[in-house]
Every structure is written in structure tokens, then in C-alpha cells.
Amino acid sequence: MHFHLTEEQAAIQDAVRGTLADSWPMERVHAFADGDADFDRTSWYALMALGLGGMLAPDSGMGLLDAALVCEVAGEAAAAGPLIGQLLAVAAVAASGRGDAEALISGKTIATLIHGGSDYAPSARAADLFLIVDRAKGVRLVAAADVTIEAVKAADRTRPMSKVSIADGTGEALFAATDQMTGRLADAALVLVAADALGGAQKVTDMSVAYAKEREQFGQPIGRFQGLKHQLAHMALDVEPARALVWYAAYAWDAQLPDAPRAAAMAKAHLCDVYVRATRAAVAAHGGIGYTWEYGLNYWFRRAMADRAWLGSPAEHRARAATLAGW
Amino acid sequence: MDLSYGEAAETFRAEVRAFLSLHWPPPSDLRGGDLKQFVRNFRALATEQGYLHRAIPKRYGGSEQPVDVIRAQVIREEFQRARAPMEVGGNGMNMTVPTLLEKGTEEQKELFIRKTVEGDYIWGQGYSEPGSGSDLASVRTKGELSADGSKWIINGQKIWTSQGMQSTHMFMLVRTEPDAPKHDGITYLLIDLDQPGVTRRPIRQMTGEEGDHTFCEFFFDNAETPVSWQVGERGQGWYVSRTTLKHERASIGGADGLGKQFAKLVDLAKEVGRIDDPIVRDKLAQIEGSVLSHRYSSYRIFSCAAAGEDPGPVALMMKLLLTEIGHEMALLAQELIGEHGFLEPAGAGGRGNRGPRGPEKWLDQIMGSLGNSIAGGASNIQRNIIGERGLGLPRDLAMSGER
Ligand SMILES: Cc1cc2nc3c(=O)[nH]c(=O)nc-3n(C[C@H](O)[C@H](O)[C@H](O)COP(=O)(O)OP(=O)(O)OC[C@H]3O[C@@H](n4cnc5c(N)ncnc54)[C@H](O)[C@@H]3O)c2cc1C
């Protein structure tokens, strides 16, 4: 049995963490958030230069767990860009044999994910391709030319969504609704969003712990006060064990275990709730500074809200999980 | 990542299964004392086979197997599947034996381990006192050397001793150096409870149960124990009690138990006709998110243990997580049983209350969840441990004696 990360996986996470730290110092996050771009070319190519694009290609020797570990780090950084859509588009295109997987793997062609029935997609204005994953209608790949984009003011400033409309039947059908790849791609998307949420929740917990060690009130670091210590312990208790839920869901997907769809639904529902709770608690733990724009916690709170709403709410996925369990 | 145990483990599994199919279950006509003897023989056989008491040397009644958490897990799974008895549980196996193996003298090992393994000695944990609970290092029960230096004379009181009525022996913390700093004046002693200087009194628990689940208070009035039954050095008892923690191996057992209980909660929702209620379904799935987090985290800890790696702070969280999930389940159960909550569960209350157990049996679990938030270190103390040891937050110096 091996249910912990390998040194190699930890090294990949470190490499991505380093690259994103270089790309996204807080001033750049602020500048991006206050600008009106929905995509950042520099950080995108820095990430793609690490060779992450092809992780979900069938012959990469990696799998959803590796992809989830990368999305987790992207979530930590609240990084911009349609990383999840890109990873899934590679999986979809490579598995279907239609389209140019190489251009997607290198990141030269940019793909974003749109969930069946939704009107929103991240980095839509930068995207060349739209991967529509719809459990009821199958998986399609639509070129940007066939998509109408309407600008909106997005709440999540680091991964802005735009309103898009795509006429039924446009683009290329990759998988029918009945094809098992459709369900698998939809499940993988859930796991990757759960991983983004995990990274964000861990990040705001770490920020709060670090702040509690250095901020002094009443002549002591506030982390010495038990009221706050217990709140922080509770955040950690919410986040840290949930990590294994994400790992399991990704592992189950990779191993094609029968409970993989249910594990994906549970992970997405649970982690998105955890993320919102953690960011709320983080703002409280920081006091006034946490409520400022300047400090930046708001970016993770906004991301938590967006992750929760993306691809279906926790309640929706729990309802699916209940049905899948035969309750 | 790989959750399978590998080929060698599966071969071993087949071997364990073959053993079990030969020796378990007992023939159906066994009753009472015969059944007890059968179980005893079965355990002995399973030990001889190398399945039970693996960490214990043969000369003390164990099977002396090399550490192999995968094999241990396969054994656990197969014995559970066959509903075959594993080691006798309780403080003796979980705490006394590992502590003695690490810190005990040869004489102590010979005197106590085999008898504990075979279930003849039952150990009470004599830590808490009326004035010392969370602040365990403040124990006051006194130990003084007899004039000839051969015995410890013990005076004081212990309280909340689980299984105290059945216990034959106790491991206890006593203060032997009243002038030393709090942590350095405590000695770890073993004591025979069947002697004139020891009085025990049952304390009825809030569940109303009597018998096994009742805890006791103990009064020591010039009770004696030989100096040779002192574990570790005089004054070092606090540190001896800490070593036991190291032996708390990552076990999937807790997660199995939780999973079973959750499945029963789902059954309850079906039984009372509420499973189609969307709110109930949502709440169940919400709880299951935590149940699964707990289960997979135990895999994570287990897997790290197998590889000799440190799982990090998650290991400090499992007790509190279990407690919190227990509370969540209790709340939902309470909602589901509705007016069955008016009834005392059969078997509880000690008033000859027998008969079939309906949904009100959940009251046992609901009240039990309150006990879990106290026993073995109260939840606030667990939060301190997570905050301080897990997150590295500054320690409150006044509270360094927590259990
Ligand atoms: C079912 C059960 C079985 C038990 N079995 C045994 C046994 O076999 N042997 C044995 O020795 N003991 C046993 N105990 C005792 C148990 O270990 C103690 O009850 C426990 O450690 C708490 O101590 P206390 O009861 O003195 O409560 P206290 O320490 O007085 O705590 C009362 C409250 O104050 C809080 N508190 C105390 N200190 C702090 C702090 N520093 N920070 C924040 N909050 C604090 C606690 O969280 C708790 O909420 C058992 C208890 C139960 C309920």
C-alpha cells in the first residue's frame, strides 16, 4: 500500500510553487485584479514551460493525482489562467484522437472549460478553444470564433469568468453522452476544482497561523490566546484531513475504481465547503487587516466562492452522491 | 499511489483465510465456559501461527514477528471478515504491554505480559484524580518509600477509572518528590488492586449503563507495591507515561468503526422513512465527507507508518476529528429518532430494562459521543495540541502539564 506522495510528486509541487511565487508576488496579483485582463501570458507560459500541459495525456506516465497536486498549488497561489480546462482538453483531445493535442500540451493553444448548462467560463477572452463537458449531451470542442463572449465584472478577480454563449451543435463532438469518457472528464473536473479549493484553504490557514505568531496584542503574540488558537486548530482540522479525500478521489479516478464518480462528487462538495469556511475564518483571525483589499485575503475568499459555484454547488453534488450510493 | 497491498500480501491473506476457515467459528453446540475456553485456545493457536501479539517476544507469550503493517492490516481485515476474536482489548494490551516492552525490567515483563495477553490481568489506567484531569501532571496521590526501601506506600485517590470494577491491576502516576518541579516528581507504578489498602467504588455513568462501562473511583490507604514494580526511574513517571503514546500505532480500526456507524445512520434514516428527505440526504452526505476524510487520512497515516515516514500534523487530529464526527452523527440521529428519544434504550438504566432495541438505542451513541469528547484528553486539550504541536503556535506556559 502506498497512500502518500512520492518524492517526485513533492518535487513537482515545489517547482510549480516556485514558478507561481515568481509570477505572482502580491503587487502583481493586485495589478491583475485591478486590470481588466482575464488571462496572464507571462505566468501561463512559465507554468507551461514546466511541461505540465500534458499531464493528463494518456501516455504521460502521470495521472489525475499529479494534475490535482499541480492544481492544488495553483489554488494556493490563486493563480490566473484556465489550467483546469487546459489539462482536461489535452485528456479529451488525446483520447478522442481529434484535434491537435501537441499545441494544447505546449500551451500555445489555450483551452478553457465550460460546464454543460453553464453560461460562464474562465479566461474566455484568451481562449482559443472551449471544452464543453456535459454529462447529458457529451463532450464538444468549440473554436473561439464560434463563441459569443459578453464582458461581465467578475467577482473572482484572479480567475475571472466571462459570460459566453455557444450555439448547440457547433464545433466538434468528441464523446457522446453515453461514452464513458464523458463521465470521466466531468468527474476529473470535479477533482481538480476540489484540489484548487484544497490549496486555497491550506494557504489561508497558513497565512492565519503565520499572522497569529507575529501579531502582538496585550503584549503577546495573539496565537498564544486560546480562543484564537482553538479557532486556528479548527481550521486546520477542517482542511488537513480533507486532503486525503482529494487524493483518494484522484487515485480512484486513475485506477478507474467503481466508486470514482462518487468520490469525485464528495471531494468537490466537501472541499468547496471547507474552502469557504476556511477563508471566512481566516478573515476573522486577521482582524481589520484581513478585511482590507490591500492584504489580499479577499482574493482567496472570492476564489472560494467561485470554486463553490463552478460545476455545481456542494448541495447538488451531495444529492448526486446520495443517489449514487443508492440511498 | 496504490491502495492495494501487493502480491505477497494477497498470498498471505489466503493463508490467513485458510487458517480461519479451519479454526473459526466454534462449533454451534458450545456454550458458556466451553465457549470461553474455545476462544482462549483459538487465540493461543492464532498466536502460535504468528497472527496475534506480533510485537511481543515469544518468551512473554507473543509471536515475535517482524514489524509489517501490511500483514498486520491483512490479519485485521480477515479476522474482522470472519468475525474472529483478535487480541483481548483494553488498557493492558494498548498501554501496559507496550510500555513494559520499552521501559519495563525483565522481571516485570515476565510477571505481567503473558498474563495480560491471555486476559488474566485487567488493567485500570490510574491517571486522573479529582483535582487532576486535563492538568495531569498535577497529580497528588502520594508515594513514599517504606523504611526498608523495599516498597512504595501509596495514599490518595484516583477517579474515572474505566473498567475499574473488573481491573485486577492498575498502572498509575503518583507523586514521590513533592519538592521537585511538577513534571519531575512523578513515578510510574504498577499495583495489585486486590489488597486491603485499596477501596474501589463504582461511579454510574450518564448513560445509566452498569457493568463494563462503569467507571470507578479508587481510594488508596497505605496500599503497597514492591519497588521492583516501579516502571522507569523514580521521578521520571511523566516521561514513562509519554512513551505509551509512541506506541499508538496508526490503525484503520477507528476508521472502520466510524464507517460502520455511519452505515447504521443511513439505515436509521431508511428505517424511519426519512431517507428521501432532501435535507436528510444532504446532511448525511455532509457528514460522510468528514467520515471519508477521516478514513482516507487513516490510510495516509498507515501508509506513512509502513514506509517509516512522518505523516505530519494530521496524526494529531484524528481523535478530535472522530469526536466531532461523532457529535454530528449524534445530532442527526437525534433528529431522526424523533419521539423514540423519549425512551430509555433497552439494556441501559440498570433497572431490568430488557427487550428489543428500537431506534431509541441511538441514545447510547448520542450520550457516548459526549464521553468521547472528554475521555483520553478533553477536546479543548486536543485543540491545544493541534495548535501548539501541529501548527507551532506559541505555548501557554501555564498549561504545560496537559495530558
Ligand atoms: C468515559 C470516560 C472514561 C475515562 N476513563 C479514564 C480512565 O480509565 N483512567 C483515567 O485516568 N481517566 C479516565 N477518564 C478521565 C479523563 O481522562 C478526564 O476526565 C479528562 O482528562 C478531563 O479531565 P477532567 O474531567 O478533570 O476535566 P477538567 O480538566 O476539569 O476539564 C473541564 C473542562 O475544562 C476544559 N479545560 C481544562 N483545561 C483546559 C485548558 N488548558 N484549556 C482549555 N480548556 C481546558 C476541558 O476541556 C473541559 O471542557 C475518563 C473520562 C471519561 C469521560
Side-chain angles (χ1 to χ4, degrees):
Chain A
M1 175 192 251
H2 184 85
F3 192 71
H4 56 286
L5 302 186
T6 59
E7 273 172 33
E8 207 178 3
Q9 285 167 325
I12 295 175
Q13 283 199 309
D14 285 344
V16 177
R17 200 171 276 128
T19 303
L20 287 171
D22 292 344
S23 307
W24 293 107
M26 192 51 89
E27 320 82 79
R28 292 227 37 227
V29 177
H30 281 316
F32 183 80
D34 280 334
D36 67 355
D38 70 357
F39 183 73
D40 179 80
R41 217 155 274 284
T42 320
S43 69
W44 180 255
Y45 286 114
L47 260 192
M48 290 298 136
L50 295 175
L52 303 175
M55 293 181 110
L56 290 182
D59 55 358
S60 71
M62 292 197 235
L64 190 64
L65 179 62
D66 304 278
L69 294 172
V70 168
C71 288
E72 178 194 339
V73 179
E76 267 169 44
L83 181 62
I84 292 173
Q86 189 82 7
L87 293 166
L88 293 173
V90 170
V93 166
S96 73
R98 276 176 261 198
D100 183 358
E102 281 312 314
L104 282 165
I105 288 172
S106 69
K108 235 184 280 162
T109 299
I110 297 162
T112 192
L113 172 68
I114 176 161
H115 174 52
S118 167
D119 292 328
Y120 294 94
S123 304
R125 284 178 277 148
D128 306 302
L129 292 172
F130 289 74
L131 180 76
I132 310 173
V133 177
D134 190 326
R135 284 184 202 272
K137 295 185 183 164
V139 178
R140 310 182 68 76
L141 199 60
V142 181
D146 296 327
V147 177
T148 314
I149 298 172
E150 185 191 324
V152 292
K153 186 81 190 156
D156 179 357
R157 297 296 186 94
T158 57
R159 196 189 53 200
M161 300 265 179
S162 298
K163 200 163 182 186
V164 299
S165 60
I166 304 175
D168 260 357
T170 42
E172 180 154 24
L174 300 186
F175 300 102
T178 50
D179 193 306
Q180 65 142 350
M181 264 310 273
T182 299
R184 275 180 66 69
L185 287 167
D187 294 339
L190 298 178
V191 176
L192 295 183
V193 174
D196 186 84
L198 169 66
Q202 183 68 57
K203 168 74 176 191
V204 297
T205 304
D206 292 346
M207 284 169 82
S208 305
V209 169
Y211 187 72
K213 287 178 188 170
E214 114 209 340
R215 168 75 173 171
E216 293 196 1
Q217 288 290 285
F218 304 98
Q220 309 192 38
I222 55 172
R224 207 191 288 288
F225 299 120
Q226 212 182 43
L228 180 59
K229 184 178 288 171
H230 285 192
Q231 287 172 349
L232 295 172
H234 222 98
M235 284 170 79
L237 186 75
D238 214 16
V239 178
E240 185 60 32
R243 179 177 304 279
L245 193 56
V246 177
W247 288 4
Y248 181 81
Y251 162 76
W253 192 91
D254 283 329
Q256 306 207 25
L257 302 183
D259 67 340
R262 186 160 194 272
M266 291 297 293
K268 154 75 178 150
H270 190 76
L271 269 296
C272 287
D273 274 350
V274 166
Y275 195 5
V276 173
R277 284 198 291 265
T279 42
R280 289 182 74 110
V283 172
H286 278 79
I289 193 90
Y291 200 68
T292 64
W293 183 274
E294 197 56 30
Y295 191 75
L297 263 175
N298 82 88
Y299 298 129
W300 282 271
F301 185 72
R302 288 157 180 269
R303 176 65 75 90
M305 300 286 289
D307 275 353
R308 192 170 205 279
W310 203 20
L311 313 185
S313 71
E316 215 173 306
H317 286 292
R318 282 196 288 265
R320 269 188 66 231
T323 305
L324 287 171
W327 294 349
Chain B
M1 195 171 291
D2 182 7
L3 279 183
S4 67
Y5 299 159
E7 216 169 291
E10 296 312 317
T11 312
F12 179 68
R13 186 189 299 280
E15 190 185 295
V16 178
R17 256 187 217 183
F19 170 84
L20 286 170
S21 68
L22 260 183
H23 301 288
W24 191 262
S28 54
D29 53 354
L30 283 191
R31 273 162 206 262
D34 285 347
L35 181 60
K36 230 172 160 177
Q37 190 56 43
F38 184 93
V39 170
R40 215 181 155 103
N41 295 346
F42 170 82
R43 284 201 172 105
L45 211 57
T47 303
E48 207 172 286
Q49 203 70 27
Y51 299 157
L52 299 183
H53 305 116
R54 293 168 58 83
I56 301 171
K58 289 205 168 109
R59 61 186 185 286
Y60 312 132
S63 61
E64 200 169 342
Q65 297 294 314
V67 178
D68 185 334
V69 291
I70 300 284
R71 280 193 170 214
Q73 178 61 15
V74 168
I75 293 166
R76 194 152 44 224
E77 287 173 5
E78 291 307 315
F79 273 58
Q80 272 171 10
R81 195 194 313 268
R83 295 170 180 271
M86 296 202 61
E87 287 96 352
V88 285
N91 292 324
M93 281 306 301
N94 297 336
M95 308 186 77
T96 316
V97 170
T99 303
L100 288 182
L101 283 175
E102 186 166 339
K103 299 276 175 171
T105 62
E106 191 53 36
E107 181 199 341
Q108 290 164 356
K109 292 178 193 174
E110 273 169 20
L111 266 178
F112 299 115
I113 295 181
R114 182 183 297 274
K115 292 276 193 189
T116 304
V117 162
E118 292 178 354
D120 295 329
Y121 287 179
I122 298 172
W123 293 85
Q125 181 194 60
Y127 286 179
S128 305
E129 296 180 10
S132 305
S134 302
D135 185 9
L136 183 56
S138 71
V139 289
R140 279 200 296 248
T141 291
K142 222 170 24 178
E144 287 168 307
L145 277 185
S146 60
D148 65 358
S150 69
K151 285 182 292 202
W152 284 107
I153 313 293
I154 301 160
N155 282 286
Q157 185 187 356
K158 292 287 173 184
I159 197 166
W160 319 130
T161 315
S162 298
Q163 297 197 328
M165 288 314 279
Q166 302 97 296
S167 296
T168 59
H169 293 74
M170 177 180 271
F171 54 93
M172 63 193 302
L173 295 176
V174 299
R175 187 155 303 279
T176 50
E177 266 69 30
D179 301 326
K182 199 166 159 187
H183 292 86
D184 296 324
I186 297 171
T187 299
Y188 190 105
L189 297 180
L190 308 178
I191 171 173
D192 189 338
L193 292 173
D194 188 16
Q195 58 167 299
V198 176
T199 313
R200 61 182 112 191
R201 237 176 16 212
I203 305 174
R204 198 167 168 196
Q205 298 189 348
M206 70 174 282
T207 52
E209 281 170 294
E210 289 176 318
D212 282 8
H213 299 290
T214 304
F215 40 40
C216 283
E217 57 186 338
F218 278 87
F219 299 89
F220 300 93
D221 180 13
N222 290 323
E224 298 179 352
T225 204
V227 163
S228 61
W229 287 22
Q230 161 193 323
V231 184
E233 293 190 11
R234 175 175 177 168
Q236 296 297 297
W238 177 257
Y239 307 98
V240 176
S241 78
R242 301 291 95 179
T243 65
T244 313
L245 281 177
K246 274 199 314 195
H247 297 283
E248 263 190 342
R249 281 258 193 75
S251 125
I252 296 187
D256 286 346
L258 194 61
K260 270 188 209 141
Q261 193 158 27
F262 179 74
K264 284 189 192 150
L265 190 61
V266 174
D267 288 344
L268 173 67
K270 290 180 182 161
E271 218 173 284
V272 300
R274 297 279 302 277
I275 193 68
D276 294 323
D277 177 340
I279 293 174
V280 169
R281 289 165 83 79
D282 187 67
K283 190 67 209 173
L284 278 171
Q286 241 178 69
I287 294 171
E288 198 188 2
S290 302
V291 171
L292 295 178
S293 296
H294 185 272
R295 170 181 309 161
Y296 301 138
S297 292
S298 74
Y299 288 178
R300 191 179 154 199
I301 294 168
F302 171 70
S303 167
C304 281
E309 290 171 24
D310 179 9
V314 71
L316 302 172
M317 298 175 175
M318 299 301 269
K319 196 244 164 182
L320 184 56
L321 187 59
L322 200 71
T323 305
E324 300 280 300
I325 298 170
H327 279 305
E328 288 294 308
M329 296 215 286
L331 269 176
L332 182 56
Q334 195 174 8
E335 146 102 29
L336 290 173
I337 64 175
E339 291 200 340
H340 287 279
F342 292 147
L343 305 177
E344 182 83 308
R351 278 176 266 121
N353 171 15
R354 307 229 183 285
R357 284 162 70 81
E360 68 275 9
K361 66 176 180 259
W362 277 86
L363 226 56
D364 289 340
Q365 196 278 329
I366 293 166
M367 289 199 237
S369 76
L370 303 182
N372 290 344
S373 69
I374 305 166
S379 288
N380 277 347
I381 301 301
Q382 302 299 317
R383 290 183 190 102
N384 288 352
I385 291 173
I386 293 169
E388 293 172 3
R389 286 189 229 149
L391 304 178
L393 292 168
R395 276 199 97 163
D396 189 324
L397 299 177
M399 294 190 286
S400 49
E402 291 162 3
R403 59 191 301 143

